[in-house]
Short mmCIF file of all heavy atoms in Angstrom, two decimals:
data_model
loop_
_atom_site.label_atom_id
_atom_site.label_comp_id
_atom_site.label_asym_id
_atom_site.label_seq_id
_atom_site.Cartn_x
_atom_site.Cartn_y
_atom_site.Cartn_z
N PHE X 927 18.37 1.95 -24.12
CA PHE X 927 18.47 0.52 -24.41
C PHE X 927 19.00 0.31 -25.82
O PHE X 927 18.92 1.18 -26.69
CB PHE X 927 17.12 -0.18 -24.23
CG PHE X 927 16.08 0.20 -25.25
CD1 PHE X 927 15.84 -0.59 -26.37
CD2 PHE X 927 15.32 1.35 -25.09
CE1 PHE X 927 14.89 -0.24 -27.31
CE2 PHE X 927 14.36 1.71 -26.00
CZ PHE X 927 14.14 0.92 -27.12
N ASP X 928 19.55 -0.86 -26.03
CA ASP X 928 20.08 -1.28 -27.32
C ASP X 928 18.97 -2.00 -28.08
O ASP X 928 18.42 -2.99 -27.57
CB ASP X 928 21.29 -2.20 -27.11
CG ASP X 928 22.00 -2.58 -28.39
OD1 ASP X 928 21.35 -3.16 -29.28
OD2 ASP X 928 23.20 -2.31 -28.50
N VAL X 929 18.64 -1.53 -29.26
CA VAL X 929 17.50 -2.10 -29.99
C VAL X 929 17.78 -3.53 -30.45
O VAL X 929 16.84 -4.30 -30.73
CB VAL X 929 17.13 -1.23 -31.20
CG1 VAL X 929 16.64 0.13 -30.75
CG2 VAL X 929 18.32 -1.09 -32.16
N LYS X 930 19.05 -3.91 -30.52
CA LYS X 930 19.38 -5.26 -30.98
C LYS X 930 19.37 -6.27 -29.83
O LYS X 930 18.76 -7.34 -29.92
CB LYS X 930 20.75 -5.27 -31.65
CG LYS X 930 21.12 -6.61 -32.27
CD LYS X 930 22.44 -6.52 -33.02
CE LYS X 930 22.79 -7.87 -33.66
NZ LYS X 930 24.09 -7.80 -34.41
N THR X 931 20.03 -5.92 -28.72
CA THR X 931 20.13 -6.86 -27.59
C THR X 931 19.05 -6.64 -26.54
O THR X 931 18.82 -7.52 -25.71
CB THR X 931 21.50 -6.72 -26.90
OG1 THR X 931 21.59 -5.41 -26.30
CG2 THR X 931 22.64 -6.89 -27.90
N LEU X 932 18.43 -5.45 -26.57
CA LEU X 932 17.43 -5.03 -25.58
C LEU X 932 18.00 -4.88 -24.17
O LEU X 932 17.26 -4.74 -23.20
CB LEU X 932 16.22 -5.97 -25.57
CG LEU X 932 15.35 -5.94 -26.84
CD1 LEU X 932 14.20 -6.92 -26.72
CD2 LEU X 932 14.83 -4.53 -27.11
N GLN X 933 19.35 -4.93 -24.07
CA GLN X 933 19.99 -4.59 -22.80
C GLN X 933 19.90 -3.09 -22.60
O GLN X 933 19.94 -2.31 -23.56
CB GLN X 933 21.46 -5.03 -22.80
CG GLN X 933 21.67 -6.52 -22.86
CD GLN X 933 21.17 -7.23 -21.61
OE1 GLN X 933 21.36 -6.74 -20.50
NE2 GLN X 933 20.53 -8.38 -21.79
N GLY X 934 19.76 -2.64 -21.34
CA GLY X 934 19.62 -1.22 -21.13
C GLY X 934 19.76 -0.78 -19.69
O GLY X 934 20.16 -1.56 -18.82
N ILE X 935 19.41 0.47 -19.45
CA ILE X 935 19.55 1.07 -18.13
C ILE X 935 18.35 1.97 -17.85
O ILE X 935 17.81 2.61 -18.75
CB ILE X 935 20.86 1.90 -18.05
CG1 ILE X 935 21.10 2.43 -16.63
CG2 ILE X 935 20.86 3.05 -19.04
CD1 ILE X 935 22.47 3.09 -16.45
N VAL X 936 17.92 1.97 -16.59
CA VAL X 936 16.87 2.87 -16.11
C VAL X 936 17.53 3.73 -15.03
O VAL X 936 18.01 3.21 -14.02
CB VAL X 936 15.68 2.09 -15.52
CG1 VAL X 936 14.63 3.06 -14.98
CG2 VAL X 936 15.07 1.17 -16.58
N LEU X 937 17.57 5.05 -15.25
CA LEU X 937 18.36 5.94 -14.39
C LEU X 937 17.55 7.16 -13.99
O LEU X 937 16.83 7.74 -14.80
CB LEU X 937 19.63 6.36 -15.13
CG LEU X 937 20.61 7.30 -14.44
CD1 LEU X 937 22.04 6.99 -14.90
CD2 LEU X 937 20.30 8.77 -14.72
N THR X 938 17.67 7.55 -12.71
CA THR X 938 17.03 8.78 -12.21
C THR X 938 18.00 9.49 -11.27
O THR X 938 19.04 8.95 -10.91
CB THR X 938 15.72 8.48 -11.45
OG1 THR X 938 16.03 7.85 -10.20
CG2 THR X 938 14.79 7.60 -12.27
N ARG X 939 17.62 10.70 -10.86
CA ARG X 939 18.45 11.48 -9.94
C ARG X 939 17.92 11.48 -8.51
O ARG X 939 18.45 12.18 -7.65
CB ARG X 939 18.55 12.93 -10.43
CG ARG X 939 19.11 13.07 -11.84
CD ARG X 939 20.53 12.57 -11.97
NE ARG X 939 21.01 12.70 -13.34
CZ ARG X 939 22.21 12.32 -13.76
NH1 ARG X 939 23.05 11.77 -12.90
NH2 ARG X 939 22.56 12.47 -15.01
N ARG X 940 16.89 10.70 -8.28
CA ARG X 940 16.36 10.55 -6.92
C ARG X 940 15.85 9.12 -6.76
O ARG X 940 15.25 8.56 -7.68
CB ARG X 940 15.24 11.55 -6.66
CG ARG X 940 15.72 12.98 -6.55
CD ARG X 940 14.59 13.98 -6.71
NE ARG X 940 13.58 13.83 -5.68
CZ ARG X 940 12.41 14.49 -5.73
NH1 ARG X 940 12.13 15.29 -6.73
NH2 ARG X 940 11.54 14.33 -4.75
N ALA X 941 16.08 8.54 -5.59
CA ALA X 941 15.72 7.14 -5.36
C ALA X 941 14.21 6.92 -5.48
O ALA X 941 13.77 5.89 -5.98
CB ALA X 941 16.22 6.70 -3.98
N SER X 942 13.41 7.87 -5.01
CA SER X 942 11.96 7.70 -5.08
C SER X 942 11.48 7.67 -6.53
O SER X 942 10.54 6.95 -6.87
CB SER X 942 11.25 8.82 -4.32
OG SER X 942 11.54 10.09 -4.89
N TYR X 943 12.14 8.45 -7.40
CA TYR X 943 11.78 8.44 -8.82
C TYR X 943 12.11 7.10 -9.45
O TYR X 943 11.37 6.58 -10.29
CB TYR X 943 12.51 9.56 -9.55
CG TYR X 943 11.88 10.92 -9.42
CD1 TYR X 943 11.05 11.23 -8.34
CD2 TYR X 943 12.12 11.91 -10.36
CE1 TYR X 943 10.49 12.48 -8.21
CE2 TYR X 943 11.55 13.18 -10.24
CZ TYR X 943 10.73 13.46 -9.17
OH TYR X 943 10.17 14.70 -9.05
N LEU X 944 13.26 6.53 -9.05
CA LEU X 944 13.65 5.23 -9.60
C LEU X 944 12.64 4.16 -9.21
O LEU X 944 12.26 3.32 -10.03
CB LEU X 944 15.05 4.84 -9.12
CG LEU X 944 15.59 3.52 -9.67
CD1 LEU X 944 15.76 3.59 -11.19
CD2 LEU X 944 16.92 3.17 -9.02
N GLU X 945 12.22 4.20 -7.96
CA GLU X 945 11.25 3.21 -7.49
C GLU X 945 9.94 3.30 -8.28
O GLU X 945 9.39 2.27 -8.72
CB GLU X 945 10.97 3.44 -6.00
CG GLU X 945 10.04 2.41 -5.38
CD GLU X 945 9.85 2.62 -3.90
OE1 GLU X 945 10.53 3.49 -3.31
OE2 GLU X 945 8.99 1.92 -3.31
N LYS X 946 9.46 4.50 -8.51
CA LYS X 946 8.22 4.69 -9.26
C LYS X 946 8.38 4.26 -10.71
O LYS X 946 7.50 3.63 -11.30
CB LYS X 946 7.78 6.15 -9.19
CG LYS X 946 7.34 6.59 -7.81
CD LYS X 946 7.03 8.09 -7.78
CE LYS X 946 6.65 8.54 -6.39
NZ LYS X 946 6.41 10.02 -6.33
N LEU X 947 9.52 4.61 -11.31
CA LEU X 947 9.74 4.26 -12.72
C LEU X 947 9.88 2.75 -12.89
O LEU X 947 9.41 2.19 -13.89
CB LEU X 947 11.00 4.98 -13.23
CG LEU X 947 11.27 4.92 -14.73
CD1 LEU X 947 10.06 5.38 -15.55
CD2 LEU X 947 12.50 5.77 -15.08
N MET X 948 10.51 2.10 -11.93
CA MET X 948 10.63 0.64 -12.01
C MET X 948 9.26 -0.03 -11.90
O MET X 948 9.01 -1.05 -12.55
CB MET X 948 11.56 0.13 -10.91
CG MET X 948 13.03 0.47 -11.13
SD MET X 948 13.72 -0.33 -12.61
CE MET X 948 13.72 -2.04 -12.07
N ASP X 949 8.38 0.53 -11.11
CA ASP X 949 7.01 0.00 -11.04
C ASP X 949 6.31 0.14 -12.39
O ASP X 949 5.63 -0.79 -12.85
CB ASP X 949 6.21 0.75 -9.96
CG ASP X 949 6.60 0.35 -8.55
OD1 ASP X 949 7.22 -0.72 -8.40
OD2 ASP X 949 6.30 1.11 -7.61
N ILE X 950 6.48 1.28 -13.03
CA ILE X 950 5.87 1.51 -14.34
C ILE X 950 6.39 0.53 -15.38
O ILE X 950 5.64 0.04 -16.23
CB ILE X 950 6.13 2.96 -14.79
CG1 ILE X 950 5.38 3.95 -13.89
CG2 ILE X 950 5.75 3.17 -16.25
CD1 ILE X 950 5.76 5.40 -14.11
N LEU X 951 7.69 0.22 -15.29
CA LEU X 951 8.33 -0.64 -16.30
C LEU X 951 8.38 -2.11 -15.89
O LEU X 951 9.01 -2.92 -16.58
CB LEU X 951 9.77 -0.15 -16.55
CG LEU X 951 9.92 1.28 -17.10
CD1 LEU X 951 11.39 1.69 -17.10
CD2 LEU X 951 9.34 1.37 -18.50
N SER X 952 7.73 -2.47 -14.81
CA SER X 952 7.84 -3.83 -14.27
C SER X 952 7.43 -4.91 -15.28
O SER X 952 7.93 -6.03 -15.23
CB SER X 952 7.00 -3.97 -13.00
OG SER X 952 5.63 -3.70 -13.28
N GLY X 953 6.53 -4.58 -16.20
CA GLY X 953 6.08 -5.58 -17.17
C GLY X 953 6.97 -5.72 -18.37
O GLY X 953 6.78 -6.64 -19.19
N VAL X 954 7.99 -4.83 -18.48
CA VAL X 954 8.81 -4.85 -19.69
C VAL X 954 10.32 -4.83 -19.41
O VAL X 954 11.13 -4.99 -20.30
CB VAL X 954 8.43 -3.65 -20.60
CG1 VAL X 954 8.92 -2.34 -20.01
CG2 VAL X 954 8.92 -3.82 -22.02
N PHE X 955 10.71 -4.66 -18.13
CA PHE X 955 12.12 -4.54 -17.78
C PHE X 955 12.47 -5.44 -16.61
O PHE X 955 11.77 -5.43 -15.58
CB PHE X 955 12.47 -3.10 -17.42
CG PHE X 955 13.91 -2.88 -17.04
CD1 PHE X 955 14.92 -2.91 -17.99
CD2 PHE X 955 14.27 -2.65 -15.71
CE1 PHE X 955 16.25 -2.72 -17.64
CE2 PHE X 955 15.58 -2.45 -15.34
CZ PHE X 955 16.58 -2.48 -16.31
N THR X 956 13.54 -6.23 -16.76
CA THR X 956 14.02 -7.10 -15.68
C THR X 956 15.42 -6.66 -15.27
O THR X 956 16.35 -6.73 -16.08
CB THR X 956 14.08 -8.57 -16.13
OG1 THR X 956 12.79 -8.98 -16.57
CG2 THR X 956 14.55 -9.47 -15.00
N PRO X 957 15.59 -6.17 -14.05
CA PRO X 957 16.92 -5.71 -13.62
C PRO X 957 17.87 -6.88 -13.42
O PRO X 957 17.45 -8.00 -13.08
CB PRO X 957 16.64 -4.99 -12.30
CG PRO X 957 15.38 -5.60 -11.79
CD PRO X 957 14.57 -5.97 -13.01
N SER X 958 19.16 -6.62 -13.60
CA SER X 958 20.17 -7.68 -13.47
C SER X 958 20.67 -7.83 -12.04
O SER X 958 21.38 -8.79 -11.73
CB SER X 958 21.36 -7.39 -14.39
OG SER X 958 21.91 -6.11 -14.11
N THR X 959 20.31 -6.89 -11.16
CA THR X 959 20.69 -6.98 -9.75
C THR X 959 19.46 -6.72 -8.88
O THR X 959 18.51 -6.06 -9.31
CB THR X 959 21.78 -5.95 -9.40
OG1 THR X 959 21.31 -4.63 -9.71
CG2 THR X 959 23.07 -6.23 -10.14
N GLU X 960 19.53 -7.23 -7.66
CA GLU X 960 18.40 -7.03 -6.75
C GLU X 960 18.31 -5.60 -6.26
O GLU X 960 17.22 -5.03 -6.12
CB GLU X 960 18.53 -7.99 -5.56
CG GLU X 960 17.36 -7.92 -4.59
CD GLU X 960 17.48 -8.95 -3.47
OE1 GLU X 960 18.31 -9.87 -3.59
OE2 GLU X 960 16.74 -8.82 -2.47
N ASP X 961 19.47 -4.99 -5.99
CA ASP X 961 19.50 -3.62 -5.49
C ASP X 961 20.04 -2.69 -6.57
O ASP X 961 20.88 -3.07 -7.40
CB ASP X 961 20.40 -3.53 -4.25
CG ASP X 961 19.86 -4.35 -3.09
OD1 ASP X 961 18.64 -4.31 -2.87
OD2 ASP X 961 20.67 -5.05 -2.44
N PRO X 962 19.61 -1.43 -6.55
CA PRO X 962 20.08 -0.48 -7.56
C PRO X 962 21.50 0.00 -7.24
O PRO X 962 21.97 -0.13 -6.11
CB PRO X 962 19.09 0.67 -7.44
CG PRO X 962 18.64 0.63 -6.02
CD PRO X 962 18.61 -0.84 -5.66
N PHE X 963 22.16 0.55 -8.24
CA PHE X 963 23.39 1.29 -8.02
C PHE X 963 23.00 2.67 -7.51
O PHE X 963 22.00 3.23 -7.92
CB PHE X 963 24.20 1.40 -9.32
CG PHE X 963 24.70 0.10 -9.84
CD1 PHE X 963 23.93 -0.65 -10.72
CD2 PHE X 963 25.94 -0.39 -9.45
CE1 PHE X 963 24.38 -1.87 -11.21
CE2 PHE X 963 26.40 -1.61 -9.93
CZ PHE X 963 25.62 -2.35 -10.81
N PHE X 964 23.85 3.22 -6.62
CA PHE X 964 23.48 4.48 -5.95
C PHE X 964 24.74 5.30 -5.78
O PHE X 964 25.69 4.87 -5.12
CB PHE X 964 22.85 4.15 -4.60
CG PHE X 964 22.37 5.34 -3.82
CD1 PHE X 964 21.04 5.73 -3.87
CD2 PHE X 964 23.25 6.08 -3.03
CE1 PHE X 964 20.58 6.82 -3.14
CE2 PHE X 964 22.80 7.17 -2.30
CZ PHE X 964 21.46 7.54 -2.37
N ILE X 965 24.78 6.50 -6.39
CA ILE X 965 25.95 7.38 -6.30
C ILE X 965 25.49 8.77 -5.90
O ILE X 965 24.69 9.40 -6.60
CB ILE X 965 26.69 7.46 -7.66
CG1 ILE X 965 27.22 6.09 -8.08
CG2 ILE X 965 27.82 8.48 -7.59
CD1 ILE X 965 28.38 5.59 -7.27
N THR X 966 25.99 9.27 -4.76
CA THR X 966 25.63 10.61 -4.31
C THR X 966 26.42 11.66 -5.09
O THR X 966 27.36 11.34 -5.83
CB THR X 966 25.93 10.79 -2.82
OG1 THR X 966 27.34 10.65 -2.61
CG2 THR X 966 25.18 9.75 -1.99
N VAL X 967 26.04 12.92 -4.91
CA VAL X 967 26.74 14.01 -5.58
C VAL X 967 28.22 14.04 -5.19
O VAL X 967 29.09 14.22 -6.04
CB VAL X 967 26.07 15.36 -5.22
CG1 VAL X 967 26.87 16.53 -5.78
CG2 VAL X 967 24.63 15.40 -5.76
N THR X 968 28.51 13.82 -3.91
CA THR X 968 29.91 13.81 -3.47
C THR X 968 30.66 12.64 -4.08
O THR X 968 31.82 12.78 -4.51
CB THR X 968 29.99 13.74 -1.94
OG1 THR X 968 29.24 14.81 -1.38
CG2 THR X 968 31.44 13.85 -1.47
N MET X 969 30.02 11.47 -4.16
CA MET X 969 30.69 10.31 -4.75
C MET X 969 30.96 10.52 -6.24
O MET X 969 31.92 9.97 -6.78
CB MET X 969 29.85 9.05 -4.51
CG MET X 969 30.07 8.42 -3.15
SD MET X 969 31.76 7.81 -2.91
CE MET X 969 31.75 6.37 -3.99
N GLU X 970 30.13 11.29 -6.92
CA GLU X 970 30.42 11.61 -8.32
C GLU X 970 31.74 12.38 -8.41
O GLU X 970 32.54 12.14 -9.32
CB GLU X 970 29.28 12.41 -8.93
CG GLU X 970 28.01 11.59 -9.12
CD GLU X 970 26.98 12.30 -9.99
OE1 GLU X 970 27.34 13.29 -10.66
OE2 GLU X 970 25.82 11.85 -10.01
N LYS X 971 31.97 13.28 -7.46
CA LYS X 971 33.24 14.01 -7.44
C LYS X 971 34.39 13.10 -7.05
O LYS X 971 35.52 13.27 -7.52
CB LYS X 971 33.14 15.20 -6.46
CG LYS X 971 32.16 16.27 -6.91
CD LYS X 971 32.13 17.45 -5.97
CE LYS X 971 33.36 18.31 -6.09
NZ LYS X 971 33.48 19.00 -7.39
#
C-alpha cells in the first residue's frame, strides 16, 4: 500500500488464501471491485 494515499493491493497465489486474508483485513481494507482478479499459471505465460 501507499502510505500517502492508502491505495493498495492484497495478493495471494491461491484463491482460498485470498478469501481468508480478505476476512482478516475486512475492518481495514475496502476492495474497489466486487470480484477479485484471477490469473492462472498458464495465463501468466
Side-chain angles (χ1 to χ4, degrees):
F927 69 97
D928 186 301
V929 296
K930 185 175 181 180
T931 66
L932 292 179
Q933 294 294 319
I935 185 172
V936 178
L937 179 148
T938 71
R939 303 297 179 182
R940 290 163 61 189
S942 61
Y943 279 24
L944 182 63
E945 184 177 353
K946 292 175 183 177
L947 190 53
M948 288 296 291
D949 285 342
I950 292 170
L951 298 172
S952 61
V954 72
F955 180 73
T956 303
S958 57
T959 58
E960 183 176 346
D961 297 318
F963 295 90
F964 183 97
I965 298 289
T966 63
V967 173
T968 305
M969 277 296 288
E970 290 192 15
K971 294 183 73 66

